[in-house]
């Protein structure tokens, strides 16, 4: 069965102060596209392919569309609440990894049996010339 990987879009995008706040939607689209490019290779050290990648977006990024390899879930309210709902509904009985540095969210999804990883797990998927080592794991 595919590993379900749920990515906290706002948290991952916000983990590097690279000007993302000037174009939140564009930053989320770059993350989505980077994830799609890596979907077949998995997330080395975190999740082997095949993966079911879900990017959770909120706020100004709410209208970002899904692409082949990455399903985008727009949170109607709290992105954290949507990720917990996804873990509960789709992660039961399967390998589930949530990518976030948010300690509160980590505790909530771990209580449901999900594994967690910090933004470093998808750092290369962020696109756009990030400095090596610029992202800290939670």
């Amino acid at each position: 069965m595919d590993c379900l990987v749920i990515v906290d879009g706002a948290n991952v995008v916000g983990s590097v102060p690279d000007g993302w706040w000037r174009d939140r939607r564009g930053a989320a689209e770059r993350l989505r596209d980077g994830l799609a490019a890596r979907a077949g290779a998995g997330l080395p050290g975190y999740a082997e392919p095949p993966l079911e990648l879900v990017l959770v977006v909120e706020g100004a990024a709410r209208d970002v569309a899904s692409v082949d390899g990455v399903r985008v879930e727009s949170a109607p309210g709290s992105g954290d609440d949507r990720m917990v709902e996804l873990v509960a509904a789709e992660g039961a009985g399967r390998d589930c990894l949530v990518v976030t540095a948010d300690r509160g969210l980590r505790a909530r999804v771990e209580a449901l049996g999900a594994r967690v990883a910090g933004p470093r797990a998808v750092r290369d998927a962020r696109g756009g010339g990030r400095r090596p080592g610029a992202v800290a794991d939670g």
Side-chain angles (χ1 to χ4, degrees):
M1 180 178 284
D2 297 357
C3 176
L4 174 63
V5 178
I6 301 170
V7 179
D8 182 346
N11 188 267
V12 171
V13 164
S15 66
V16 175
D18 62 359
W20 59 264
W21 52 88
R22 291 186 294 265
D23 182 10
R24 294 169 193 251
R25 180 187 171 119
E29 288 172 338
R30 286 188 298 279
L31 174 59
R32 176 206 59 199
D33 294 347
L35 289 168
R38 295 188 53 204
L43 299 173
Y46 299 97
E48 297 301 317
L51 303 178
E52 179 183 353
L53 285 164
V54 180
L55 174 63
V56 176
V57 296
E58 58 188 295
R62 197 171 280 137
D63 293 328
V64 171
S66 297
V67 295
D68 286 341
V70 180
R71 183 176 95 217
V72 177
E73 286 280 334
S74 296
S78 162
D80 289 5
D81 289 346
R82 182 65 188 132
M83 285 178 273
V84 170
E85 290 169 1
L86 287 167
V87 170
E90 299 181 28
R94 68 190 287 198
D95 186 22
C96 181
L97 174 71
V98 176
V99 179
T100 186
D102 182 307
R103 288 187 182 116
L105 177 58
R106 283 176 173 239
R108 292 172 68 190
V109 298
E110 285 177 327
L112 295 171
R115 296 182 297 124
V116 295
R120 183 174 300 168
V122 296
R123 175 188 343 187
D124 296 337
R126 296 207 39 205
R130 306 301 187 267
R131 294 182 319 272
V135 177
D137 261 348

Short mmCIF file of all heavy atoms in Angstrom, two decimals, residues 48-117:
data_model
loop_
_atom_site.label_atom_id
_atom_site.label_comp_id
_atom_site.label_asym_id
_atom_site.label_seq_id
_atom_site.Cartn_x
_atom_site.Cartn_y
_atom_site.Cartn_z
N GLU A 48 9.49 5.60 1.28
CA GLU A 48 9.84 4.99 0.00
C GLU A 48 8.62 5.01 -0.92
O GLU A 48 7.49 4.96 -0.46
CB GLU A 48 10.31 3.55 0.22
CG GLU A 48 11.57 3.45 1.07
CD GLU A 48 12.75 4.19 0.47
OE1 GLU A 48 12.96 4.09 -0.75
OE2 GLU A 48 13.46 4.88 1.23
N PRO A 49 8.87 5.04 -2.23
CA PRO A 49 7.73 4.99 -3.17
C PRO A 49 7.08 3.62 -3.13
O PRO A 49 7.73 2.67 -2.73
CB PRO A 49 8.38 5.28 -4.52
CG PRO A 49 9.83 4.99 -4.36
CD PRO A 49 10.15 5.13 -2.89
N PRO A 50 5.86 3.53 -3.53
CA PRO A 50 5.02 4.60 -4.06
C PRO A 50 4.45 5.47 -2.93
O PRO A 50 4.23 4.99 -1.81
CB PRO A 50 3.91 3.87 -4.79
CG PRO A 50 3.78 2.56 -4.07
CD PRO A 50 5.17 2.22 -3.59
N LEU A 51 4.24 6.73 -3.25
CA LEU A 51 3.70 7.69 -2.28
C LEU A 51 2.36 8.22 -2.76
O LEU A 51 2.15 8.38 -3.96
CB LEU A 51 4.62 8.91 -2.14
CG LEU A 51 6.07 8.70 -1.75
CD1 LEU A 51 6.78 10.04 -1.71
CD2 LEU A 51 6.16 8.00 -0.41
N GLU A 52 1.50 8.51 -1.82
CA GLU A 52 0.32 9.31 -2.09
C GLU A 52 0.61 10.65 -1.41
O GLU A 52 0.61 10.73 -0.18
CB GLU A 52 -0.94 8.68 -1.52
CG GLU A 52 -2.16 9.54 -1.78
CD GLU A 52 -3.45 8.98 -1.18
OE1 GLU A 52 -3.44 7.86 -0.66
OE2 GLU A 52 -4.45 9.71 -1.22
N LEU A 53 0.90 11.68 -2.20
CA LEU A 53 1.27 12.99 -1.67
C LEU A 53 0.05 13.90 -1.59
O LEU A 53 -0.67 14.08 -2.58
CB LEU A 53 2.32 13.64 -2.55
CG LEU A 53 3.72 13.07 -2.43
CD1 LEU A 53 4.59 13.51 -3.60
CD2 LEU A 53 4.34 13.53 -1.12
N VAL A 54 -0.15 14.48 -0.40
CA VAL A 54 -1.24 15.42 -0.18
C VAL A 54 -0.63 16.69 0.40
O VAL A 54 0.03 16.65 1.44
CB VAL A 54 -2.31 14.85 0.79
CG1 VAL A 54 -3.42 15.86 1.00
CG2 VAL A 54 -2.85 13.53 0.27
N LEU A 55 -0.84 17.80 -0.27
CA LEU A 55 -0.38 19.11 0.19
C LEU A 55 -1.58 19.86 0.73
O LEU A 55 -2.55 20.09 0.01
CB LEU A 55 0.26 19.89 -0.98
CG LEU A 55 0.67 21.32 -0.71
CD1 LEU A 55 1.75 21.40 0.37
CD2 LEU A 55 1.14 21.99 -2.00
N VAL A 56 -1.52 20.23 2.01
CA VAL A 56 -2.62 20.97 2.63
C VAL A 56 -2.27 22.45 2.60
O VAL A 56 -1.20 22.85 3.09
CB VAL A 56 -2.90 20.48 4.06
CG1 VAL A 56 -3.98 21.33 4.72
CG2 VAL A 56 -3.32 19.01 4.04
N VAL A 57 -3.15 23.25 2.01
CA VAL A 57 -2.96 24.68 1.90
C VAL A 57 -4.11 25.41 2.58
O VAL A 57 -5.18 24.85 2.78
CB VAL A 57 -2.83 25.12 0.42
CG1 VAL A 57 -1.59 24.52 -0.22
CG2 VAL A 57 -4.07 24.74 -0.38
N GLU A 58 -3.84 26.67 2.90
CA GLU A 58 -4.84 27.49 3.57
C GLU A 58 -4.62 28.95 3.21
O GLU A 58 -3.63 29.29 2.56
CB GLU A 58 -4.77 27.29 5.09
CG GLU A 58 -3.40 27.63 5.67
CD GLU A 58 -3.28 27.23 7.14
OE1 GLU A 58 -4.00 27.80 7.96
OE2 GLU A 58 -2.44 26.36 7.44
N GLY A 59 -5.54 29.80 3.61
CA GLY A 59 -5.39 31.24 3.41
C GLY A 59 -5.24 31.61 1.95
O GLY A 59 -5.97 31.14 1.08
N ALA A 60 -4.24 32.47 1.65
CA ALA A 60 -4.04 32.99 0.29
C ALA A 60 -3.68 31.90 -0.71
O ALA A 60 -3.82 32.10 -1.91
CB ALA A 60 -2.94 34.05 0.30
N ALA A 61 -3.26 30.74 -0.24
CA ALA A 61 -2.90 29.63 -1.12
C ALA A 61 -4.06 28.67 -1.34
O ALA A 61 -3.90 27.65 -2.00
CB ALA A 61 -1.70 28.88 -0.55
N ARG A 62 -5.22 29.00 -0.82
CA ARG A 62 -6.36 28.08 -0.83
C ARG A 62 -6.80 27.66 -2.23
O ARG A 62 -7.38 26.59 -2.39
CB ARG A 62 -7.53 28.72 -0.08
CG ARG A 62 -8.59 27.73 0.30
CD ARG A 62 -9.64 28.31 1.22
NE ARG A 62 -9.11 28.34 2.57
CZ ARG A 62 -9.24 29.35 3.41
NH1 ARG A 62 -9.87 30.44 3.04
NH2 ARG A 62 -8.75 29.29 4.62
N ASP A 63 -6.51 28.45 -3.27
CA ASP A 63 -6.97 28.12 -4.62
C ASP A 63 -5.95 27.35 -5.45
O ASP A 63 -6.14 27.16 -6.64
CB ASP A 63 -7.36 29.40 -5.36
CG ASP A 63 -8.59 30.06 -4.73
OD1 ASP A 63 -9.45 29.34 -4.20
OD2 ASP A 63 -8.68 31.30 -4.78
N VAL A 64 -4.87 26.89 -4.84
CA VAL A 64 -3.87 26.12 -5.56
C VAL A 64 -4.49 24.78 -5.98
O VAL A 64 -5.15 24.12 -5.18
CB VAL A 64 -2.61 25.91 -4.69
CG1 VAL A 64 -1.66 24.92 -5.34
CG2 VAL A 64 -1.92 27.24 -4.44
N ALA A 65 -4.29 24.43 -7.25
CA ALA A 65 -4.91 23.22 -7.80
C ALA A 65 -4.00 22.01 -7.65
O ALA A 65 -2.78 22.13 -7.54
CB ALA A 65 -5.22 23.44 -9.28
N SER A 66 -4.60 20.84 -7.67
CA SER A 66 -3.86 19.58 -7.69
C SER A 66 -3.18 19.40 -9.04
O SER A 66 -3.60 19.98 -10.04
CB SER A 66 -4.81 18.40 -7.45
OG SER A 66 -5.40 18.48 -6.18
N VAL A 67 -2.12 18.61 -9.05
CA VAL A 67 -1.43 18.23 -10.28
C VAL A 67 -1.16 16.73 -10.21
O VAL A 67 -1.31 16.12 -9.14
CB VAL A 67 -0.09 19.01 -10.47
CG1 VAL A 67 -0.34 20.49 -10.64
CG2 VAL A 67 0.87 18.73 -9.33
N ASP A 68 -0.76 16.15 -11.32
CA ASP A 68 -0.41 14.72 -11.31
C ASP A 68 0.63 14.47 -10.24
O ASP A 68 1.66 15.13 -10.20
CB ASP A 68 0.13 14.27 -12.67
CG ASP A 68 -0.95 14.14 -13.72
OD1 ASP A 68 -2.14 14.04 -13.36
OD2 ASP A 68 -0.59 14.13 -14.92
N GLY A 69 0.35 13.55 -9.35
CA GLY A 69 1.29 13.17 -8.30
C GLY A 69 1.09 13.88 -6.97
O GLY A 69 1.62 13.43 -5.96
N VAL A 70 0.34 14.98 -6.96
CA VAL A 70 0.11 15.72 -5.70
C VAL A 70 -1.34 16.18 -5.64
O VAL A 70 -1.79 16.96 -6.49
CB VAL A 70 1.03 16.96 -5.57
CG1 VAL A 70 0.75 17.68 -4.25
CG2 VAL A 70 2.49 16.57 -5.66
N ARG A 71 -2.04 15.66 -4.66
CA ARG A 71 -3.41 16.13 -4.39
C ARG A 71 -3.33 17.32 -3.45
O ARG A 71 -2.69 17.23 -2.40
CB ARG A 71 -4.23 15.00 -3.76
CG ARG A 71 -5.68 15.37 -3.54
CD ARG A 71 -6.46 14.18 -3.00
NE ARG A 71 -6.53 14.24 -1.55
CZ ARG A 71 -6.48 13.20 -0.74
NH1 ARG A 71 -6.30 11.99 -1.21
NH2 ARG A 71 -6.59 13.36 0.56
N VAL A 72 -3.95 18.41 -3.82
CA VAL A 72 -3.96 19.59 -2.96
C VAL A 72 -5.30 19.65 -2.25
O VAL A 72 -6.36 19.57 -2.87
CB VAL A 72 -3.72 20.89 -3.77
CG1 VAL A 72 -3.80 22.11 -2.87
CG2 VAL A 72 -2.37 20.84 -4.47
N GLU A 73 -5.23 19.75 -0.93
CA GLU A 73 -6.42 19.88 -0.08
C GLU A 73 -6.45 21.29 0.48
O GLU A 73 -5.53 21.71 1.18
CB GLU A 73 -6.35 18.88 1.09
CG GLU A 73 -6.60 17.46 0.71
CD GLU A 73 -8.07 17.14 0.55
OE1 GLU A 73 -8.92 17.82 1.18
OE2 GLU A 73 -8.38 16.19 -0.18
N SER A 74 -7.48 22.03 0.14
CA SER A 74 -7.65 23.39 0.66
C SER A 74 -8.42 23.34 1.96
O SER A 74 -9.56 22.87 1.98
CB SER A 74 -8.40 24.25 -0.36
OG SER A 74 -7.63 24.39 -1.53
N ALA A 75 -7.79 23.81 3.02
CA ALA A 75 -8.44 23.80 4.33
C ALA A 75 -9.46 24.93 4.39
O ALA A 75 -9.12 26.08 4.14
CB ALA A 75 -7.40 23.98 5.43
N PRO A 76 -10.71 24.61 4.70
CA PRO A 76 -11.72 25.65 4.80
C PRO A 76 -11.50 26.56 6.02
O PRO A 76 -11.97 27.68 6.06
CB PRO A 76 -13.03 24.88 4.91
CG PRO A 76 -12.64 23.54 5.43
CD PRO A 76 -11.24 23.28 4.94
N GLY A 77 -10.78 26.05 6.99
CA GLY A 77 -10.46 26.80 8.21
C GLY A 77 -9.01 26.55 8.55
O GLY A 77 -8.11 26.88 7.78
N SER A 78 -8.78 25.89 9.65
CA SER A 78 -7.42 25.59 10.11
C SER A 78 -6.79 24.48 9.28
O SER A 78 -7.36 23.39 9.15
CB SER A 78 -7.47 25.16 11.59
OG SER A 78 -6.31 24.48 11.95
N GLY A 79 -5.59 24.75 8.76
CA GLY A 79 -4.85 23.71 8.05
C GLY A 79 -4.50 22.56 8.97
O GLY A 79 -4.54 21.40 8.56
N ASP A 80 -4.16 22.86 10.22
CA ASP A 80 -3.83 21.81 11.18
C ASP A 80 -5.02 20.87 11.38
O ASP A 80 -4.87 19.65 11.38
CB ASP A 80 -3.43 22.41 12.53
CG ASP A 80 -2.08 23.09 12.50
OD1 ASP A 80 -1.47 23.20 11.41
OD2 ASP A 80 -1.63 23.54 13.57
N ASP A 81 -6.21 21.45 11.54
CA ASP A 81 -7.40 20.61 11.72
C ASP A 81 -7.65 19.73 10.50
O ASP A 81 -8.00 18.56 10.64
CB ASP A 81 -8.63 21.47 11.99
CG ASP A 81 -8.61 22.13 13.36
OD1 ASP A 81 -7.78 21.75 14.22
OD2 ASP A 81 -9.42 23.06 13.57
N ARG A 82 -7.43 20.27 9.30
CA ARG A 82 -7.64 19.48 8.08
C ARG A 82 -6.65 18.33 8.02
O ARG A 82 -7.01 17.21 7.63
CB ARG A 82 -7.52 20.37 6.84
CG ARG A 82 -7.78 19.63 5.56
CD ARG A 82 -9.24 19.14 5.49
NE ARG A 82 -9.43 18.27 4.34
CZ ARG A 82 -10.04 17.08 4.39
NH1 ARG A 82 -10.54 16.63 5.53
NH2 ARG A 82 -10.17 16.37 3.31
N MET A 83 -5.40 18.57 8.41
CA MET A 83 -4.41 17.49 8.39
C MET A 83 -4.76 16.39 9.39
O MET A 83 -4.62 15.21 9.09
CB MET A 83 -3.01 18.05 8.64
CG MET A 83 -2.47 18.78 7.42
SD MET A 83 -0.87 19.50 7.68
CE MET A 83 -1.36 21.08 8.36
N VAL A 84 -5.24 16.76 10.56
CA VAL A 84 -5.66 15.77 11.55
C VAL A 84 -6.83 14.95 10.99
O VAL A 84 -6.86 13.73 11.12
CB VAL A 84 -6.02 16.44 12.89
CG1 VAL A 84 -6.68 15.46 13.84
CG2 VAL A 84 -4.77 17.06 13.53
N GLU A 85 -7.78 15.62 10.34
CA GLU A 85 -8.90 14.92 9.72
C GLU A 85 -8.41 13.92 8.67
O GLU A 85 -8.90 12.79 8.60
CB GLU A 85 -9.86 15.92 9.05
CG GLU A 85 -10.63 16.78 10.01
CD GLU A 85 -11.36 17.93 9.30
OE1 GLU A 85 -11.28 18.05 8.05
OE2 GLU A 85 -12.00 18.73 10.00
N LEU A 86 -7.44 14.33 7.85
CA LEU A 86 -6.91 13.44 6.81
C LEU A 86 -6.21 12.23 7.42
O LEU A 86 -6.39 11.11 6.93
CB LEU A 86 -5.95 14.21 5.90
CG LEU A 86 -6.60 15.20 4.93
CD1 LEU A 86 -5.55 16.11 4.32
CD2 LEU A 86 -7.38 14.46 3.86
N VAL A 87 -5.44 12.45 8.46
CA VAL A 87 -4.76 11.33 9.12
C VAL A 87 -5.80 10.35 9.67
O VAL A 87 -5.70 9.14 9.49
CB VAL A 87 -3.81 11.81 10.23
CG1 VAL A 87 -3.31 10.64 11.07
CG2 VAL A 87 -2.63 12.57 9.64
N ALA A 88 -6.83 10.89 10.32
CA ALA A 88 -7.86 10.03 10.90
C ALA A 88 -8.64 9.27 9.83
O ALA A 88 -8.92 8.08 9.99
CB ALA A 88 -8.81 10.87 11.76
N ALA A 89 -8.97 9.93 8.74
CA ALA A 89 -9.82 9.32 7.72
C ALA A 89 -9.04 8.45 6.74
O ALA A 89 -9.56 7.41 6.30
CB ALA A 89 -10.55 10.42 6.93
N GLU A 90 -7.83 8.84 6.38
CA GLU A 90 -7.11 8.15 5.32
C GLU A 90 -5.83 7.45 5.77
O GLU A 90 -5.27 6.65 5.04
CB GLU A 90 -6.77 9.13 4.19
CG GLU A 90 -8.00 9.75 3.56
CD GLU A 90 -7.65 10.71 2.43
OE1 GLU A 90 -6.60 10.52 1.79
OE2 GLU A 90 -8.43 11.64 2.20
N GLY A 91 -5.37 7.77 6.98
CA GLY A 91 -4.11 7.21 7.45
C GLY A 91 -4.24 5.97 8.30
O GLY A 91 -3.25 5.29 8.56
N ALA A 92 -5.45 5.65 8.71
CA ALA A 92 -5.65 4.48 9.57
C ALA A 92 -5.27 3.21 8.84
O ALA A 92 -5.67 2.99 7.69
CB ALA A 92 -7.11 4.42 10.03
N GLY A 93 -4.46 2.38 9.48
CA GLY A 93 -4.10 1.09 8.93
C GLY A 93 -3.08 1.14 7.81
O GLY A 93 -2.90 0.16 7.10
N ARG A 94 -2.41 2.28 7.64
CA ARG A 94 -1.38 2.38 6.61
C ARG A 94 -0.26 3.28 7.10
O ARG A 94 -0.42 4.01 8.07
CB ARG A 94 -1.96 2.90 5.30
CG ARG A 94 -2.42 4.35 5.37
CD ARG A 94 -3.21 4.82 4.18
NE ARG A 94 -2.40 5.02 3.00
CZ ARG A 94 -2.78 5.74 1.96
NH1 ARG A 94 -3.97 6.33 1.95
NH2 ARG A 94 -2.01 5.89 0.91
N ASP A 95 0.86 3.23 6.43
CA ASP A 95 1.98 4.10 6.75
C ASP A 95 1.58 5.53 6.41
O ASP A 95 1.15 5.81 5.29
CB ASP A 95 3.21 3.68 5.96
CG ASP A 95 4.46 4.44 6.36
OD1 ASP A 95 4.51 4.99 7.48
OD2 ASP A 95 5.40 4.48 5.55
N CYS A 96 1.70 6.42 7.37
CA CYS A 96 1.29 7.81 7.19
C CYS A 96 2.38 8.71 7.78
O CYS A 96 2.77 8.54 8.94
CB CYS A 96 -0.04 8.06 7.88
SG CYS A 96 -0.67 9.74 7.71
N LEU A 97 2.85 9.65 6.98
CA LEU A 97 3.89 10.60 7.38
C LEU A 97 3.34 12.00 7.22
O LEU A 97 2.83 12.35 6.15
CB LEU A 97 5.13 10.42 6.49
CG LEU A 97 6.26 11.43 6.69
CD1 LEU A 97 6.96 11.19 8.04
CD2 LEU A 97 7.26 11.34 5.54
N VAL A 98 3.46 12.80 8.27
CA VAL A 98 3.05 14.20 8.21
C VAL A 98 4.31 15.05 8.28
O VAL A 98 5.13 14.88 9.18
CB VAL A 98 2.08 14.56 9.36
CG1 VAL A 98 1.74 16.06 9.33
CG2 VAL A 98 0.81 13.72 9.24
N VAL A 99 4.46 15.96 7.32
CA VAL A 99 5.63 16.82 7.25
C VAL A 99 5.25 18.20 7.79
O VAL A 99 4.47 18.93 7.17
CB VAL A 99 6.17 16.93 5.81
CG1 VAL A 99 7.38 17.86 5.76
CG2 VAL A 99 6.51 15.55 5.26
N THR A 100 5.80 18.52 8.97
CA THR A 100 5.54 19.79 9.63
C THR A 100 6.56 20.00 10.73
O THR A 100 7.13 19.04 11.24
CB THR A 100 4.12 19.84 10.23
OG1 THR A 100 3.86 21.15 10.75
CG2 THR A 100 3.93 18.82 11.34
N ALA A 101 6.77 21.26 11.11
CA ALA A 101 7.60 21.57 12.27
C ALA A 101 6.74 22.02 13.44
O ALA A 101 7.26 22.33 14.51
CB ALA A 101 8.61 22.66 11.92
N ASP A 102 5.45 22.05 13.25
CA ASP A 102 4.51 22.52 14.26
C ASP A 102 4.38 21.47 15.37
O ASP A 102 3.85 20.38 15.15
CB ASP A 102 3.16 22.78 13.60
CG ASP A 102 2.11 23.31 14.55
OD1 ASP A 102 1.87 22.68 15.59
OD2 ASP A 102 1.50 24.35 14.23
N ARG A 103 4.87 21.78 16.55
CA ARG A 103 4.88 20.81 17.65
C ARG A 103 3.48 20.37 18.07
O ARG A 103 3.26 19.20 18.38
CB ARG A 103 5.63 21.38 18.85
CG ARG A 103 7.11 21.45 18.60
CD ARG A 103 7.86 21.88 19.86
NE ARG A 103 9.27 21.97 19.56
CZ ARG A 103 9.97 23.09 19.60
NH1 ARG A 103 9.38 24.22 19.95
NH2 ARG A 103 11.24 23.10 19.31
N GLY A 104 2.55 21.29 18.10
CA GLY A 104 1.18 20.94 18.47
C GLY A 104 0.56 19.97 17.47
O GLY A 104 -0.08 18.99 17.85
N LEU A 105 0.75 20.25 16.19
CA LEU A 105 0.24 19.36 15.15
C LEU A 105 0.93 18.00 15.22
O LEU A 105 0.28 16.96 15.09
CB LEU A 105 0.42 19.99 13.77
CG LEU A 105 -0.01 19.12 12.58
CD1 LEU A 105 -1.48 18.72 12.68
CD2 LEU A 105 0.29 19.84 11.28
N ARG A 106 2.23 18.02 15.44
CA ARG A 106 2.97 16.75 15.55
C ARG A 106 2.33 15.86 16.63
O ARG A 106 2.10 14.68 16.41
CB ARG A 106 4.43 17.01 15.91
CG ARG A 106 5.26 17.48 14.76
CD ARG A 106 6.69 17.80 15.23
NE ARG A 106 7.52 18.09 14.09
CZ ARG A 106 8.62 17.42 13.77
NH1 ARG A 106 9.05 16.44 14.53
NH2 ARG A 106 9.30 17.74 12.70
N ALA A 107 2.06 16.43 17.79
CA ALA A 107 1.48 15.65 18.88
C ALA A 107 0.11 15.10 18.50
O ALA A 107 -0.21 13.95 18.80
CB ALA A 107 1.39 16.51 20.14
N ARG A 108 -0.68 15.91 17.82
CA ARG A 108 -2.03 15.48 17.44
C ARG A 108 -2.00 14.32 16.46
O ARG A 108 -2.77 13.36 16.60
CB ARG A 108 -2.81 16.65 16.84
CG ARG A 108 -3.14 17.73 17.85
CD ARG A 108 -3.75 18.96 17.20
NE ARG A 108 -5.08 18.68 16.67
CZ ARG A 108 -5.75 19.52 15.88
NH1 ARG A 108 -5.21 20.67 15.52
NH2 ARG A 108 -6.96 19.20 15.45
N VAL A 109 -1.12 14.38 15.45
CA VAL A 109 -1.11 13.30 14.45
C VAL A 109 -0.38 12.06 14.95
O VAL A 109 -0.74 10.94 14.59
CB VAL A 109 -0.57 13.78 13.09
CG1 VAL A 109 -1.47 14.87 12.52
CG2 VAL A 109 0.87 14.22 13.15
N GLU A 110 0.62 12.25 15.82
CA GLU A 110 1.29 11.08 16.41
C GLU A 110 0.31 10.30 17.27
O GLU A 110 0.35 9.06 17.30
CB GLU A 110 2.50 11.51 17.24
CG GLU A 110 3.68 11.91 16.40
CD GLU A 110 4.86 12.41 17.22
OE1 GLU A 110 4.65 13.04 18.28
OE2 GLU A 110 5.99 12.18 16.78
N ALA A 111 -0.60 10.98 17.95
CA ALA A 111 -1.62 10.31 18.76
C ALA A 111 -2.53 9.44 17.90
O ALA A 111 -3.13 8.48 18.39
CB ALA A 111 -2.44 11.33 19.53
N LEU A 112 -2.60 9.74 16.60
CA LEU A 112 -3.42 8.96 15.67
C LEU A 112 -2.59 7.89 14.95
O LEU A 112 -3.10 7.20 14.07
CB LEU A 112 -4.08 9.88 14.65
CG LEU A 112 -5.10 10.86 15.20
CD1 LEU A 112 -5.53 11.87 14.14
CD2 LEU A 112 -6.31 10.12 15.76
N GLY A 113 -1.30 7.78 15.27
CA GLY A 113 -0.46 6.75 14.70
C GLY A 113 0.41 7.19 13.52
O GLY A 113 1.11 6.36 12.93
N ALA A 114 0.38 8.46 13.16
CA ALA A 114 1.20 8.94 12.05
C ALA A 114 2.64 9.17 12.51
O ALA A 114 2.90 9.46 13.67
CB ALA A 114 0.63 10.24 11.48
N ARG A 115 3.57 9.02 11.57
CA ARG A 115 4.95 9.43 11.79
C ARG A 115 5.04 10.91 11.43
O ARG A 115 4.20 11.42 10.69
CB ARG A 115 5.90 8.62 10.90
CG ARG A 115 5.93 7.15 11.19
CD ARG A 115 6.93 6.41 10.31
NE ARG A 115 6.58 6.47 8.90
CZ ARG A 115 7.39 6.92 7.94
NH1 ARG A 115 8.59 7.38 8.22
NH2 ARG A 115 7.01 6.92 6.68
N VAL A 116 6.07 11.57 11.92
CA VAL A 116 6.26 12.98 11.58
C VAL A 116 7.70 13.23 11.14
O VAL A 116 8.63 12.54 11.56
CB VAL A 116 5.90 13.92 12.75
CG1 VAL A 116 4.43 13.86 13.08
CG2 VAL A 116 6.73 13.61 13.97
N ALA A 117 7.85 14.23 10.29
CA ALA A 117 9.17 14.69 9.86
C ALA A 117 9.08 16.20 9.69
O ALA A 117 8.00 16.74 9.42
CB ALA A 117 9.56 14.03 8.54
#
